[in-house]
Amino acid sequence: MTTEVAPDPGPLRTGRRERALAQMDAYGLDVLVLGRQANVRYVTGAPQLWIAGTRPFGPVCVMVRATGEVYLNSTDDEGVPDEIGRDRLYGLAWNPMTLIGVLKGIEGARAARRVGTDAITPTFAALLPEAFPNAELVDAEPALRAARRIKTPDEIAAMGPALRAAERGIAAAVAELRPGSFERTLTGAVLEAMAAGGVSTPATQDAAWVTPREHPWRRAGATGEVRAGDLVALAAGALADGYVGEVGRTWPAGGADGESDGAGVRARLGALFGRSNALHDRLIAACRPGAPASGLLAAYEAAGEPLPPMPVAHGLGLGFDPPVVCETLCAAGEDERLDAGMVLAVTGYVWQRSVGAVFRRDTVQITDGGAEVLTDSPSWG
């Protein structure tokens, strides 16, 4: 069976490109030269080859503000939107001077005064001025972050497949969870369920772990075996059609019933999950337009819970988008405002000695009326 590689839908492409062009205008950028995969897909709408890890910068995509034209480094037109066209594709080259020659021939290259890149290497820092002889090279990331932080309605809809895949992964792991199972087995269940649903690229692979009973943050044990009464955190992140969706839940591995202290165990779990629900309600209430991102940190304080070492929220979209909400960044003055259209992965974490921790993560859209939780995985209790 063959699968055709298709570009992103037209309205999705158009909405993102309009936002990118608006930010180019706001930041005074005449040309964008992009190399980061998510940014390239954002402006082109052409699916990109996903690879693990990082790769060096190269001029994969160029967009000219005056004309709105997009040029793409591609050896064929499979998955390339019609509006880009074959005449604006350029092939791979080992010699960087070949690429510089292509960029020289782009209409508007000589007239450009400010050229923004989303990354740079010493080689291209030296060579790009040859393609844009009258331009100042500047960092384009602020403009791209500003464009990507607010999602269009079509982007919200496009996140649906990733969210549903992540939810299927959580459900599969819950079905496999029992005393005597292993973290790696549960992780495999998450990844297998997502792949069976057509999403073979996980956004994260740390999908299951036994929460610690004797320390708030440290992992419980080296073997990864689940014991009766353990609280097991399950986290699924899926990358589908370029967009990331995340969901996280915690489930007990038996031990709450059928034992001499079964009622006591269930009471302790009920109290801990009750704290988690109270924190979750405060976190969701903090996701409102115009509020500071640090309000998510304040939600922990208001609930009487210590901040976890992980970010309490981070943006989602074509990969990970701003903001990243954690104590260190907010203390350093990076306290962004939350706006309607942002999508966040919001994380709650509460812990009780001798019981364990409850980890919960939901994908949340900020709307004009407040927060809308986009994930729908059930919780224990």
Side-chain angles (χ1 to χ4, degrees):
M1 182 180 70
T2 59
T3 301
E4 180 182 358
V5 177
D8 295 333
L12 180 60
R13 302 195 306 268
T14 300
R16 293 188 313 215
R17 204 171 295 150
E18 287 176 352
R19 287 194 56 80
L21 287 168
Q23 293 303 320
M24 288 179 72
D25 185 64
Y27 282 82
L29 302 177
D30 299 310
V31 176
L32 282 180
V33 181
L34 306 177
R36 291 181 174 171
Q37 180 178 326
N39 289 335
V40 172
R41 185 160 187 172
Y42 189 84
V43 302
T44 67
Q48 300 292 295
L49 176 64
W50 185 89
I51 58 173
T54 59
R55 55 185 171 186
F57 172 81
V60 177
C61 164
V62 177
M63 185 160 71
V64 181
R65 173 163 59 108
T67 62
E69 290 186 344
V70 176
Y71 300 79
L72 180 63
N73 182 205
S74 181
T75 55
D76 60 59
D77 60 359
E78 184 179 32
V80 176
D82 292 339
E83 67 269 16
I84 293 180
R86 295 178 63 91
D87 59 332
R88 291 197 288 277
L89 303 181
Y90 54 97
L92 299 171
W94 287 107
N95 187 343
M97 291 307 300
T98 302
L99 295 175
I100 294 301
V102 171
L103 300 187
K104 283 182 178 180
I106 290 176
E107 183 181 355
R110 179 167 291 276
R113 292 294 182 268
R114 280 171 59 86
V115 173
T117 68
D118 59 354
I120 201 69
T121 60
T123 296
F124 280 103
L127 294 180
L128 283 177
E130 295 189 30
F132 307 101
N134 299 305
E136 172 191 12
L137 294 182
V138 299
D139 182 10
E141 269 299 308
L144 291 163
R145 285 199 297 266
R148 289 175 50 181
R149 70 193 297 268
I150 305 298
K151 306 298 180 289
T152 67
D154 291 294
E155 284 190 278
I156 300 297
M159 297 181 75
L163 293 170
R164 304 293 84 80
E167 290 168 351
R168 286 193 297 270
I170 293 291
V174 171
E176 293 288 332
L177 177 61
R178 60 184 58 87
S181 57
F182 287 86
E183 293 174 345
R184 60 181 178 271
T185 304
L186 300 173
T187 296
V190 171
L191 301 183
E192 181 182 31
M194 292 196 303
V199 178
S200 58
T201 306
T204 61
Q205 294 188 20
D206 196 12
W209 65 94
V210 177
T211 65
R213 300 191 190 195
E214 302 304 323
H215 189 280
W217 322 123
R218 295 175 189 158
R219 290 295 180 88
T223 67
E225 183 176 4
V226 177
R227 301 172 301 168
D230 278 341
L231 290 176
V232 180
L234 304 169
L239 176 62
D241 300 326
Y243 284 88
V244 171
E246 292 191 20
V247 61
R249 293 292 186 267
T250 300
W251 283 77
D257 298 298
E259 298 180 2
S260 60
D261 191 31
V265 171
R266 178 165 284 276
R268 290 194 292 273
L269 292 179
L272 187 60
F273 276 87
R275 286 168 50 194
S276 174
N277 292 336
L279 173 60
H280 174 76
D281 291 343
R282 290 182 181 275
L283 288 170
I284 299 304
C287 295
R288 62 185 189 278
S294 59
L296 290 156
L297 304 180
Y300 271 82
E301 181 179 3
E305 304 292 348
L307 287 171
M310 66 189 81
V312 302
H314 59 268
L316 293 178
L318 285 170
F320 299 111
D321 284 338
V324 175
V325 185
C326 64
E327 186 176 22
T328 302
L329 291 177
C330 288
E334 298 187 28
D335 187 9
E336 296 195 46
R337 188 185 70 177
L338 303 180
D339 291 313
M342 297 177 72
V343 176
L344 304 176
V346 178
T347 301
Y349 189 94
V350 299
W351 178 79
Q352 179 65 47
R353 183 176 297 278
S354 301
V355 180
V358 176
F359 161 86
R360 178 169 182 171
R361 178 171 292 157
D362 281 291
T363 298
V364 177
Q365 176 193 0
I366 299 175
T367 71
D368 289 329
E372 179 181 352
V373 179
L374 302 180
T375 38
D376 192 29
S377 288
S379 299
W380 182 85

